[in-house]
Amino acid sequence: MVRQPLTAEQIAAGQRLGVALRAARAGRSLGEVALAAGISPETLRKIEAGRLPAPAFGTVVCLSQALGVPLADLADVWLADMRVRQAS
């Protein structure tokens, strides 16, 4: 199966997700959160920087738990701009 390239909207959603995760991490170190989520610090760094705009669902779930952010809140961040466009 060939993976389709991400759309501009999906890339923007990934960037919003990265910003939200970085804000939720607040005073905690990148390494501490990555360890708690069971991912590498480099993966978290890429997600936060928007260089990994479509992380695996399991990764987002683990980050949600490690940061104490409800998964629904992260889904809202991902869908924010898309919902505005669908409503127009």
Side-chain angles (χ1 to χ4, degrees), residues 28-40:
R28 296 173 64 185
S29 76
L30 190 131
E32 176 187 349
V33 172
L35 180 64
I39 63 173
S40 73

Side-chain angles (χ1 to χ4, degrees), residues 61-75:
V61 169
C62 290
L63 285 167
S64 168
Q65 290 182 333
L67 292 167
V69 176
L71 190 56
D73 290 358
L74 296 178

Side-chain angles (χ1 to χ4, degrees), residues 1-86:
M1 181 172 162
V2 176
R3 182 175 179 177
Q4 296 295 317
L6 297 174
T7 66
E9 285 179 334
Q10 290 170 321
I11 291 170
Q15 291 169 340
R16 287 192 306 275
L17 179 64
V19 168
L21 291 171
R22 189 171 39 257
R25 184 165 58 83
R28 296 173 64 185
S29 76
L30 190 131
E32 176 187 349
V33 172
L35 180 64
I39 63 173
S40 73
E42 184 59 23
T43 296
L44 181 53
R45 186 175 292 110
K46 287 179 182 178
I47 294 169
E48 286 186 356
R51 293 190 339 244
L52 184 58
F57 178 72
T59 299
V60 177
V61 169
C62 290
L63 285 167
S64 168
Q65 290 182 333
L67 292 167
V69 176
L71 190 56
D73 290 358
L74 296 178
D76 287 343
V77 168
W78 177 270
L79 294 171
D81 192 41
M82 293 180 202
R83 287 183 181 151
V84 170
R85 290 183 186 191
Q86 288 174 354

